[in-house]
């Protein structure tokens, strides 16, 4: 007979408190994201205070005519906004002596050019929008394609290359014929086969191909660019001073977080309501989380740099194989904590700024039984290709054999994989005729 029964049992369950969740979130943030997070927290919570770093003093450059002014206005030295690509093309059109209808069509076409310089509108649509004939639309396109830089107004890569070749007085012979034969002849390229199809010698085909590869497939990508350059502010800095390693967090993201003294004193001795008590608890949790993040980062960075000590003295060639488990065991933390600490973080070293994840390199076996990092193997691979003969480049099998002579055990397929990651062409496409 079925019945109901009360049973008592013990069960272990992992629970993440809001404070732990906040600490994990702050650990995953980069220094720039942490600064933004703290600034937003300060705006919402008056109990929390963040001490901002003072901006470094910059010595103003001397100007020859600065003494003529009673006072120096730094706003006069501010750089104005750069003109857009459409404005630059329209300015060139205004300098030409054109009929009003033709100038209007050319200006309209200039507004239909994308950031790379390609015309993104059909001439039939231009004729209908401007109320002009197809002949005038084509004449407007000819004017647009005659402007600088060469290649602007092209409707395809094929046309863009032809425009640049035809306007170049020093263009290599047969380059135009090679492009007219089709871009499929260029990828992959073989001088002997291309020369046979075009009825020219292999050297002439190679010279034309080399010239074509120097042309710009996106002639306007650096003109009137509205995108701001992306800068990386490192989260930490490591230096070598007289053979000693100095490590610390970067000042730009190492803000001092504390509680407001007046608010804290009023909350302790006064009778605040639940809202203020909650804000004080939230502020204390943020302070603890920031301090915990700082300590965790220092421990992880110290362990990583201790393992990669050869890198500090020799550069990327001195990288040794490393994984998260080694660092986690060394500092007594879980691998997931180390992964969160290194994710999205950058460090400034004597050899440049590197992402922390780049120090965790895959191991490659050697004939002596030791291990070598994949980054060091790639550098050796690049060195072999850099010193090869242009008319007899190394194949992937030959590169694998050369690495094997140095004791690096690696297959041809792995060599091909690393070569593609380094964006290096195969031997057939690297081959050059004198």
């Amino acid at each position: 007979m079925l019945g109901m029964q009360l049973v008592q049992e013990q069960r272990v369950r992992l629970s993440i408190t809001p404070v732990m969740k906040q600490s994990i979130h702050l650990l995953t943030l980069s220094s720039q994201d942490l600064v933004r997070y703290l600034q937003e927290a300060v705006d919402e919570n008056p109990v929390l205070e963040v001490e901002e770093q003072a901006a470094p003093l910059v010595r103003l450059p001397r100007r020859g005519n600065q003494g003529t002014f009673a006072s120096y206005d730094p706003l006069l030295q501010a750089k104005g906004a750069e003109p857009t690509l459409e404005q630059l093309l329209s300015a060139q059109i205004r300098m030409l002596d054109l009929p009003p209808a033709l100038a209007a069509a050319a200006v309209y076409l200039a507004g239909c050019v994308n950031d790379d310089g390609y015309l993104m509108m059909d001439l039939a649509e231009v004729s209908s929008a401007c109320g002009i004939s197809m002949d005038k639309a084509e004449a407007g396109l000819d004017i647009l394609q005659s402007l600088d830089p060469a290649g602007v107004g092209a409707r395809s890569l094929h046309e863009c290359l032809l425009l640049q070749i035809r306007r170049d007085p020093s263009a290599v012979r047969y380059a135009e014929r090679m492009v007219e034969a089709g871009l499929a002849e260029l990828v992959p390229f073989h001088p002997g086969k291309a020369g046979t199809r075009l009825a020219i010698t292999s050297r002439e085909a190679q010279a034309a191909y080399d010239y074509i590869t120097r042309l710009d497939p996106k002639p306007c990508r650096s003109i009137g660019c509205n995108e701001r350059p992306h800068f990386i502010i490192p989260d930490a800095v490591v230096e070598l001073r007289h053979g000693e390693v100095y490590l610390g967090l970067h000042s730009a993201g190492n803000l001092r977080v504390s509680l407001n003294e007046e608010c804290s004193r009023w909350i302790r001795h006064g009778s605040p309501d639940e809202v203020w008590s909650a804000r004080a608890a939230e502020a204390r949790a943020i302070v603890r989380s920031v301090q915990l993040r700082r300590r965790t980062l220092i421990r992880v960075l110290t362990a990583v740099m201790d393992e990669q000590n050869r890198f500090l003295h020799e550069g990327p060639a001195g990288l040794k194989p490393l994984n998260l488990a080694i660092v986690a065991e060394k500092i007594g933390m879980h691998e997931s904590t180390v992964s969160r600490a290194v994710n999205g973080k950058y460090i400034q070293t004597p050899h440049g700024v590197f992402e922390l994840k780049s120090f965790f390199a895959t191991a490659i076996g050697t004939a002596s039984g030791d291990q070598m990092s994949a980054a060091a193997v790639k550098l050796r691979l690049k060195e072999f290709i850099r010193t090869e003969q242009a008319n007899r480049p190394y194949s992937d099998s030959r590169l694998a054999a050369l690495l094997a002579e140095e004791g690096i055990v690696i297959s041809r397929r792995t060599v091909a994989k690393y070569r593609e990651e380094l964006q290096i062409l195969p031997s057939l496409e690297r081959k050059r005729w004198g």
Side-chain angles (χ1 to χ4, degrees):
M1 184 174 180
L2 297 177
M4 301 182 66
Q5 183 179 4
L6 293 176
V7 178
Q8 185 178 8
E9 63 178 7
Q10 289 183 340
R11 182 179 301 176
V12 178
R13 185 177 61 180
L14 180 63
S15 299
I16 299 180
T17 64
V19 176
M20 294 175 59
K21 187 176 180 180
Q22 183 184 59
S23 299
I24 293 174
H25 175 64
L26 293 187
L27 184 60
T28 60
L29 297 179
S30 64
S31 60
Q32 301 176 60
D33 294 333
L34 177 64
V35 170
R36 285 192 288 267
Y37 177 88
L38 294 177
Q39 289 175 347
E40 293 176 359
V42 169
D43 293 339
E44 297 176 357
N45 193 340
V47 183
L48 190 66
E49 278 190 350
V50 174
E51 182 179 341
E52 299 182 358
Q53 299 290 334
L57 298 178
V58 180
R59 182 174 177 270
L60 296 176
R62 294 185 178 181
R63 302 287 181 178
N65 59 347
Q66 185 175 337
T68 60
F69 297 96
S71 60
Y72 178 73
D73 189 357
L75 293 179
L76 296 177
Q77 311 301 320
K79 185 178 180 181
E82 296 184 1
T84 62
L85 176 61
E86 181 181 358
Q87 292 173 343
L88 293 173
L89 296 176
S90 300
Q92 296 183 57
I93 295 172
R94 287 195 298 269
M95 299 297 293
L96 303 176
D97 187 12
L98 300 174
L102 191 57
V107 171
Y108 186 84
L109 286 168
C112 301
V113 173
N114 66 5
D115 294 336
D116 295 329
Y118 288 87
L119 182 62
M120 305 303 295
M121 195 171 187
D122 189 75
L123 289 182
E125 299 178 9
V126 175
S127 175
S128 176
C130 298
I132 57 177
S133 62
M134 281 294 297
D135 293 338
K136 289 187 177 181
E138 293 177 356
L141 178 60
D142 292 338
I143 294 171
L144 176 64
Q145 293 180 347
S146 66
L147 304 177
D148 291 328
V152 64
R155 290 160 290 184
S156 63
L157 176 59
H158 178 269
E159 187 178 18
C160 179
L161 297 178
L162 287 177
L163 288 173
Q164 296 180 57
I165 295 173
R166 290 167 182 169
R167 290 180 57 181
D168 186 4
S170 59
V172 175
R173 191 181 181 188
Y174 303 118
E176 183 176 352
R177 187 195 299 184
M178 185 175 290
V179 174
E180 288 178 341
L183 299 181
E185 303 291 336
L186 303 177
V187 184
F189 176 75
H190 189 279
K193 296 179 181 179
T196 302
R197 283 191 291 266
L198 299 176
I200 59 178
T201 64
S202 298
R203 293 188 178 184
E204 291 172 337
Q206 184 67 64
Y209 174 78
D210 292 339
Y211 170 78
I212 294 172
T213 57
R214 292 194 296 268
L215 300 177
D216 194 347
K218 299 179 180 180
C220 299
R221 56 183 162 183
S222 61
I223 300 176
C225 183
N226 295 325
E227 296 184 2
R228 295 184 177 180
H230 179 66
F231 298 97
I232 293 177
I233 299 178
D235 300 85
V237 179
V238 59
E239 296 180 355
L240 279 177
R241 301 176 185 173
H242 307 291
E244 297 291 332
V245 179
Y246 291 84
L247 177 68
L249 298 181
H250 198 279
S251 59
N254 190 21
L255 303 183
R256 182 178 179 274
V257 186
S258 60
L259 302 181
N260 184 280
E261 295 182 1
E262 296 295 333
C263 290
S264 300
R265 187 180 303 108
W266 175 74
I267 291 173
R268 286 196 306 269
H269 302 289
S271 55
D273 54 14
E274 295 181 359
V275 175
W276 282 101
S277 299
R279 287 182 175 179
E282 179 184 354
R284 286 191 291 269
I286 292 177
V287 172
R288 286 194 298 268
S289 298
V290 171
Q291 294 173 350
L292 180 61
R293 175 188 183 274
R294 186 180 295 115
R295 290 196 299 268
T296 303
L297 277 180
I298 289 294
R299 292 180 62 186
V300 172
L301 290 171
T302 303
V304 171
M305 290 297 104
D306 185 49
E307 291 290 330
Q308 299 290 4
N309 188 265
R310 282 188 57 193
F311 164 83
L312 298 176
H313 295 84
E314 302 176 12
L319 281 174
K320 60 177 289 187
L322 185 65
N323 54 44
L324 297 174
I326 296 176
V327 177
E329 183 180 359
K330 189 170 185 177
I331 62 178
M333 291 185 177
H334 196 269
E335 292 183 32
S336 61
T337 304
V338 178
S339 176
R340 293 187 180 97
V342 303
N343 186 37
K345 309 297 192 306
Y346 291 83
I347 183 170
Q348 181 178 335
T349 71
H351 307 285
V353 178
F354 291 83
E355 190 175 7
L356 268 178
K357 291 194 297 186
S358 63
F359 292 99
F360 294 86
T362 307
I364 302 294
T366 61
S368 61
D370 298 330
Q371 290 185 335
M372 191 176 186
S373 68
V377 175
K378 290 180 182 179
L379 288 177
R380 199 73 194 102
L381 189 64
K382 287 178 64 177
E383 184 63 21
F384 280 135
I385 296 176
R386 188 185 66 83
T387 57
E388 68 184 3
Q389 297 181 13
N391 59 342
R392 298 181 61 185
Y394 295 132
S395 63
D396 293 341
S397 300
R398 179 57 181 162
L399 290 171
L402 291 174
L403 292 172
E405 293 177 1
E406 297 187 353
I408 303 174
V409 182
I410 188 172
S411 65
R412 183 203 60 82
R413 183 174 297 179
T414 306
V415 169
K417 173 187 173 184
Y418 287 170
R419 177 179 52 75
E420 292 175 357
E421 291 178 355
L422 295 171
Q423 298 182 352
I424 298 176
L425 296 174
S427 59
L428 182 61
E429 299 182 33
R430 297 200 309 271
K431 189 172 184 179
R432 295 292 181 267
W433 274 256

Coordinates of all heavy atoms in Angstrom, one line a residue, residues 307-341:
E307 N 57.5 31.5 -14.3 CA 57.7 30.4 -15.2 C 58.3 30.8 -16.5 O 59.0 30.1 -17.2 CB 56.3 29.8 -15.5 CG 55.7 29.0 -14.3 CD 56.5 27.8 -13.9 OE1 57.0 27.1 -14.9 OE2 56.5 27.4 -12.7
Q308 N 58.0 32.1 -17.0 CA 58.5 32.6 -18.3 C 59.6 33.5 -18.1 O 59.8 34.5 -18.8 CB 57.3 33.3 -19.0 CG 56.1 32.4 -19.3 CD 56.4 31.3 -20.4 OE1 57.6 31.2 -20.8 NE2 55.4 30.6 -20.8
N309 N 60.5 33.2 -17.1 CA 61.7 34.1 -16.9 C 62.6 34.2 -18.1 O 63.2 35.2 -18.3 CB 62.5 33.5 -15.7 CG 63.5 34.5 -15.2 OD1 64.7 34.4 -15.6 ND2 63.1 35.5 -14.4
R310 N 62.7 33.1 -18.9 CA 63.6 33.2 -20.1 C 63.0 34.2 -21.1 O 63.8 34.8 -21.8 CB 63.7 31.8 -20.7 CG 64.6 30.8 -20.1 CD 64.8 29.6 -20.9 NE 65.2 29.9 -22.2 CZ 65.2 29.0 -23.2 NH1 64.7 27.8 -23.0 NH2 65.6 29.3 -24.4
F311 N 61.7 34.3 -21.1 CA 61.1 35.3 -22.1 C 61.6 36.7 -21.7 O 61.8 37.5 -22.6 CB 59.6 35.2 -22.0 CG 58.9 36.4 -22.6 CD1 58.6 36.4 -23.9 CD2 58.4 37.4 -21.8 CE1 58.0 37.5 -24.5 CE2 57.8 38.5 -22.3 CZ 57.6 38.6 -23.7
L312 N 61.7 37.0 -20.5 CA 62.1 38.4 -20.1 C 63.5 38.7 -20.5 O 63.8 39.9 -20.8 CB 62.0 38.5 -18.5 CG 60.5 38.4 -18.0 CD1 60.6 38.4 -16.4 CD2 59.6 39.4 -18.5
H313 N 64.3 37.7 -20.7 CA 65.7 38.0 -21.1 C 65.9 37.7 -22.6 O 66.8 38.4 -23.2 CB 66.7 37.0 -20.3 CG 66.7 37.3 -18.8 ND1 65.7 36.8 -17.9 CD2 67.5 38.1 -18.0 CE1 66.0 37.2 -16.7 NE2 67.1 38.0 -16.7
E314 N 65.2 36.8 -23.2 CA 65.4 36.4 -24.6 C 64.3 36.9 -25.5 O 64.5 36.8 -26.7 CB 65.6 34.9 -24.7 CG 66.7 34.4 -23.8 CD 66.8 32.9 -23.9 OE1 66.2 32.3 -24.8 OE2 67.5 32.3 -23.0
G315 N 63.2 37.2 -25.0 CA 62.1 37.6 -25.9 C 61.2 36.4 -26.2 O 61.2 35.4 -25.6
P316 N 60.3 36.5 -27.3 CA 59.4 35.5 -27.6 C 60.0 34.1 -27.9 O 59.4 33.1 -27.7 CB 58.6 36.0 -28.8 CG 58.8 37.5 -28.7 CD 60.1 37.7 -28.1
A317 N 61.3 34.1 -28.3 CA 62.0 32.9 -28.6 C 62.2 32.1 -27.3 O 62.4 30.9 -27.4 CB 63.3 33.1 -29.3
G318 N 62.2 32.7 -26.2 CA 62.4 32.1 -24.9 C 61.1 31.6 -24.2 O 61.2 31.1 -23.1
L319 N 60.0 31.6 -24.9 CA 58.7 31.2 -24.3 C 58.8 29.6 -24.0 O 59.2 28.9 -24.9 CB 57.5 31.5 -25.1 CG 57.0 32.9 -25.1 CD1 55.9 33.2 -26.1 CD2 56.5 33.2 -23.7
K320 N 58.4 29.2 -22.9 CA 58.3 27.8 -22.6 C 56.9 27.3 -22.5 O 56.0 28.1 -22.3 CB 59.0 27.5 -21.3 CG 58.4 28.2 -20.1 CD 59.0 27.8 -18.8 CE 58.7 26.4 -18.4 NZ 59.2 26.1 -17.0
P321 N 56.6 26.0 -22.8 CA 55.2 25.5 -22.7 C 54.6 25.8 -21.3 O 55.3 25.6 -20.3 CB 55.4 24.0 -23.0 CG 56.6 23.9 -23.8 CD 57.5 25.0 -23.2
L322 N 53.4 26.2 -21.3 CA 52.8 26.5 -20.0 C 51.3 26.3 -20.1 O 50.7 26.6 -21.2 CB 53.1 28.0 -19.6 CG 52.6 28.4 -18.2 CD1 53.3 27.6 -17.1 CD2 52.8 29.9 -18.0
N323 N 50.6 25.9 -19.1 CA 49.2 25.7 -19.1 C 48.6 26.2 -17.8 O 49.3 26.5 -16.8 CB 48.7 24.3 -19.3 CG 49.4 23.3 -18.4 OD1 49.4 23.5 -17.2 ND2 49.8 22.2 -18.9
L324 N 47.3 26.3 -17.7 CA 46.6 26.9 -16.5 C 46.8 26.0 -15.3 O 46.9 26.5 -14.2 CB 45.1 27.1 -16.8 CG 44.7 28.0 -17.9 CD1 43.2 28.0 -18.2 CD2 45.2 29.4 -17.6
A325 N 46.9 24.7 -15.5 CA 47.1 23.8 -14.3 C 48.4 24.1 -13.6 O 48.4 24.0 -12.4 CB 47.0 22.4 -14.8
I326 N 49.4 24.4 -14.3 CA 50.7 24.6 -13.7 C 50.7 25.8 -12.8 O 51.1 25.8 -11.6 CB 51.8 24.7 -14.7 CG1 52.0 23.4 -15.5 CG2 53.2 25.1 -14.1 CD1 53.0 23.5 -16.6
V327 N 50.1 26.9 -13.3 CA 50.0 28.2 -12.5 C 49.0 28.0 -11.4 O 49.3 28.5 -10.3 CB 49.5 29.3 -13.5 CG1 49.3 30.6 -12.7 CG2 50.6 29.5 -14.6
A328 N 47.9 27.3 -11.6 CA 46.9 27.1 -10.5 C 47.5 26.3 -9.4 O 47.3 26.6 -8.2 CB 45.7 26.4 -11.1
E329 N 48.3 25.3 -9.7 CA 48.9 24.5 -8.7 C 50.0 25.3 -7.9 O 50.2 25.1 -6.7 CB 49.5 23.2 -9.3 CG 50.1 22.3 -8.2 CD 50.7 21.0 -8.9 OE1 50.6 20.9 -10.2 OE2 51.3 20.2 -8.2
K330 N 50.7 26.1 -8.6 CA 51.7 26.9 -8.0 C 51.2 27.9 -7.0 O 51.9 28.1 -6.0 CB 52.6 27.6 -9.1 CG 53.8 28.3 -8.6 CD 54.7 28.7 -9.7 CE 56.0 29.3 -9.2 NZ 56.9 29.7 -10.3
I331 N 50.1 28.5 -7.3 CA 49.6 29.5 -6.4 C 48.4 29.0 -5.5 O 47.8 29.8 -4.7 CB 49.1 30.8 -7.2 CG1 48.0 30.4 -8.1 CG2 50.3 31.4 -7.9 CD1 47.4 31.6 -8.9
G332 N 48.0 27.7 -5.7 CA 47.0 27.2 -4.8 C 45.6 27.7 -5.2 O 44.8 27.9 -4.3
M333 N 45.3 27.9 -6.4 CA 44.0 28.3 -6.9 C 43.4 27.4 -7.9 O 44.1 26.5 -8.4 CB 44.0 29.7 -7.5 CG 44.4 30.8 -6.5 SD 44.3 32.5 -7.3 CE 44.6 33.5 -5.9
H334 N 42.1 27.5 -8.2 CA 41.5 26.7 -9.2 C 41.8 27.2 -10.6 O 42.1 28.4 -10.8 CB 40.0 26.7 -9.0 CG 39.3 25.6 -9.7 ND1 38.8 25.7 -11.0 CD2 39.0 24.3 -9.3 CE1 38.3 24.5 -11.4 NE2 38.4 23.7 -10.4
E335 N 41.8 26.3 -11.6 CA 42.1 26.7 -12.9 C 41.2 27.7 -13.5 O 41.6 28.6 -14.2 CB 42.1 25.4 -13.8 CG 43.3 24.5 -13.6 CD 43.3 23.3 -14.5 OE1 42.8 23.5 -15.7 OE2 43.6 22.2 -14.2
S336 N 39.9 27.6 -13.1 CA 38.9 28.6 -13.6 C 39.2 30.0 -13.1 O 39.0 31.0 -13.8 CB 37.5 28.2 -13.1 OG 37.4 28.1 -11.7
T337 N 39.8 30.1 -11.8 CA 40.1 31.4 -11.3 C 41.3 32.0 -12.1 O 41.3 33.2 -12.4 CB 40.5 31.3 -9.8 OG1 39.4 30.7 -9.1 CG2 40.8 32.6 -9.2
V338 N 42.3 31.1 -12.4 CA 43.4 31.6 -13.2 C 43.0 32.0 -14.6 O 43.4 33.0 -15.2 CB 44.5 30.5 -13.3 CG1 45.7 31.0 -14.2 CG2 45.0 30.2 -11.9
S339 N 42.0 31.2 -15.2 CA 41.5 31.6 -16.5 C 40.8 32.9 -16.5 O 41.0 33.7 -17.4 CB 40.6 30.5 -17.0 OG 40.0 30.8 -18.2
R340 N 40.0 33.2 -15.5 CA 39.3 34.5 -15.4 C 40.3 35.6 -15.2 O 40.1 36.7 -15.7 CB 38.3 34.5 -14.3 CG 37.1 33.5 -14.5 CD 36.1 33.7 -13.4 NE 35.0 32.8 -13.6 CZ 34.9 31.7 -12.9 NH1 35.8 31.3 -12.1 NH2 33.8 30.9 -13.1
A341 N 41.4 35.4 -14.5 CA 42.4 36.4 -14.2 C 43.2 36.8 -15.5 O 43.5 38.0 -15.6 CB 43.3 36.0 -13.1

